[in-house]
Amino acid sequence: MAEREPLAALVEPAHTALLTVECQRGVVGPGSALPELAVAVRADGTLGRVAALADAARAAGVAVLHAVAERRPDGLGASRNAPLFRAAERRPVRQLAGTPATELADEIAVAACDLVVRRLHGLSPLAGTEVDALLRNLGVRTVVITGVSLNVAVPNAVFDAVNRGYTAVVPADAVAGVPADYAAAMLRHTLALVATVTTTEALLASWRGSGQLH
């Protein structure tokens, strides 16, 4: 088996971006459409670690992008070709554009230098969105993927990043899914095969060592 590239080299700020996935109030906030997921994210401190990574990324010169899922109030452009989409239409909290549900969670600051990409369709933050083009314009080769959920959007983001030629890095304690044993199995048996699975602390240490983080 080939040796893994050292993490610090893999996430060197000049060619790395941090992507937060669906860390929005309507998904992970107190009034979430997915209360079981929201409870899990808050109970284990996932959101705090995502926030810490975003702050450290900016300080080190790593680009920060936020992927938000939303829909128009009239539903135009939205798909109904999966049970998840049809269930979303019936939930009391809907991810409607321009409402608090599609704002980033309070724990996660959005800086002026961040990029926020909103999608109306699909399961992936990359497929059919501006994210891929923005990453290429930024000269990114490595994408650090955080957020929710390990059930759907995070695996989609990892697979799509790898399929587009990026190296994917996943901090295991800055992503979440339900139930917990399924999330752990997804990380160990699937994502670890295609991405570098690491920890928040290891990434923070790498960026501190970059010489740009103060």
Side-chain angles (χ1 to χ4, degrees):
M1 182 178 294
E3 290 187 14
R4 288 182 178 270
E5 186 175 359
L7 183 64
L10 203 60
V11 298
E12 201 279 321
H15 64 243
T16 300
L18 176 79
L19 178 67
T20 76
V21 178
E22 295 182 22
C23 292
Q24 57 203 76
R25 291 182 180 179
V27 176
V28 297
S32 170
L34 303 166
E36 184 182 2
L37 178 62
V39 168
V41 165
R42 291 174 178 277
D44 69 3
T46 299
L47 279 183
R49 287 186 285 273
V50 174
L53 285 168
D55 291 342
R58 294 184 200 99
V62 172
V64 177
L65 291 83
H66 306 283
V68 173
E70 63 183 24
R71 58 186 293 123
R72 288 168 50 119
D74 58 14
L76 282 177
S79 177
R80 302 186 74 256
N81 64 333
L84 179 65
F85 300 142
R86 296 191 292 273
E89 294 177 345
R90 300 190 297 270
R91 294 187 182 275
V93 177
R94 301 170 67 198
Q95 313 302 318
L96 299 181
T99 69
T102 61
E103 296 174 1
L104 268 288
D106 293 341
E107 291 85 346
I108 301 173
V110 180
C113 58
D114 294 357
L115 294 166
V116 180
V117 179
R118 300 177 179 275
R119 76 177 193 276
L120 292 173
H121 169 76
L123 301 169
S124 171
L126 272 77
T129 74
E130 292 181 295
V131 169
D132 182 32
L134 294 174
L135 292 174
R136 294 189 187 283
N137 290 346
L138 291 166
V140 168
R141 300 197 302 273
T142 298
V143 185
V144 177
I145 297 169
T146 66
V148 297
S149 74
L150 282 165
N151 301 78
V152 179
V154 168
N156 267 273
V158 172
F159 296 145
D160 286 342
V162 173
N163 285 333
R164 284 161 173 75
Y166 299 101
T167 296
V169 174
V170 180
D173 54 353
V175 290
V178 290
D181 57 350
Y182 172 81
M186 169 60 72
L187 282 164
R188 179 178 179 182
H189 298 295
T190 300
L191 297 189
L193 301 178
V194 295
T196 295
V197 177
T198 185
T199 65
T200 294
E201 186 53 43
L203 283 168
L204 294 177
S206 293
W207 287 334
R208 290 189 194 106
S210 71
Q212 299 179 56
L213 185 59
H214 302 292

